[in-house]
Structure formats: structure tokens, C-alpha cells
Amino acid sequence: MKKLTLLLFLIIFASALYADHHKGDRGEKRVKIWEAKLKVDLLELKGPPSLDEVQRRRLDKLSDLDLLINSGKYDGGELERLKNMRSELMDSELPSQELINTRHERRIELARSKIQNWIRMDNNYNHDARHRDKRDRNQWERRRNRHKR
């Protein structure tokens, strides 16, 4: 009887530890979502980078690649890859300010949609049986009606 009681106690204790362990994961996800929201807010407040900033970043990348090429640590295929990266960066044209602005807006939109997806997953929205059945039923209907025209 003592062994049975001890076994029951261990099972209950282990399940409590397991549940407590998974409870913390949800909090970490919320922190990550909050940090991602902060980054999006900063992107919006700072606005798109200017053409001078893009030029400066490009020159920094070129100097970094030159350092790696001239370091002597790389040879053969790795050195060729670095040289190709440098030549492609040199050959590429600077984007216009309009293109930079559209890329910036697109980046913000993608970040927002990613945050929304994280929130839905955090709330178990996609794992709810009703939504899954509805999604499967809609998919089945589309397949069935695909050949009817």
C-alpha cells in the first residue's frame, strides 16, 4: 500500500512540475510578442532610412568584405564566394528613395501580420477543433467543386 501511495504521489508531483514548466513558455511568448511590437513601433517612428544611410551601410558592408578578403583566413572556394559577394555589391545600383519607402512600408506590414499570427497561435486559435473542421470542410468543398464548371 505504501508503494502505491508513493507512486501516486510521484505521478501527481511530476504532473504539477510538468504543467508549471509549460506555463512559463506562454509568458515567454508574450514577452517576444511585446518585443516585436516595440520593434514595429520603432520602425514606424523612425521612418524609412535616407539614401545617405543606405549608401553608408553599403560602404560598411564593402569594407567588411574587404577586411575578410584581405585577412588571409579564407582561400579557395570561400575566397571566391567573398569576392563574388563584393563584386555583386559593387555592381548593384542604389535604390531610389521611393523604393526604399515602399520596402520600409512592406517590412512594417509583414512584421504586423507576423505578430498577429503569433497572437492567434498563442490563443490557440488555429488549434480549436471548430476552426479546423471548418477549414477542412471548406477545403473539401473547393476540391469537390474544382471540376464543376
Side-chain angles (χ1 to χ4, degrees), residues 47-59 93-101 103:
S50 66
L51 201 54
D52 294 334
E53 291 174 13
V54 173
Q55 176 75 21
R56 206 172 316 122
R57 276 192 237 144
R58 182 179 178 183
L59 291 175
E93 296 180 11
L94 280 176
S96 66
Q97 188 63 44
E98 293 175 5
L99 185 60
I100 293 171
N101 293 346
R103 286 179 184 171

Side-chain angles (χ1 to χ4, degrees), residues 71-134:
S71 69
K73 290 183 178 182
Y74 303 98
D75 58 348
E78 293 174 338
L79 184 63
E80 286 302 316
R81 254 184 266 138
L82 287 172
K83 287 181 180 178
N84 287 339
M85 288 171 63
R86 186 184 187 289
S87 65
E88 287 176 9
L89 190 59
M90 286 293 294
D91 295 340
S92 66
E93 296 180 11
L94 280 176
S96 66
Q97 188 63 44
E98 293 175 5
L99 185 60
I100 293 171
N101 293 346
T102 56
R103 286 179 184 171
H104 181 75
E105 291 170 6
R106 179 74 178 140
R107 185 175 175 194
I108 290 173
E109 289 173 14
L110 288 175
R112 280 189 177 153
S113 68
K114 192 174 187 179
I115 290 170
Q116 289 299 320
N117 287 339
W118 283 348
I119 290 171
R120 283 190 201 118
M121 292 300 288
D122 193 38
N123 293 334
N124 264 347
Y125 178 79
N126 291 334
H127 299 291
D128 190 5
R130 291 174 298 166
H131 294 292
R132 188 176 18 196
D133 292 342
K134 187 176 182 181

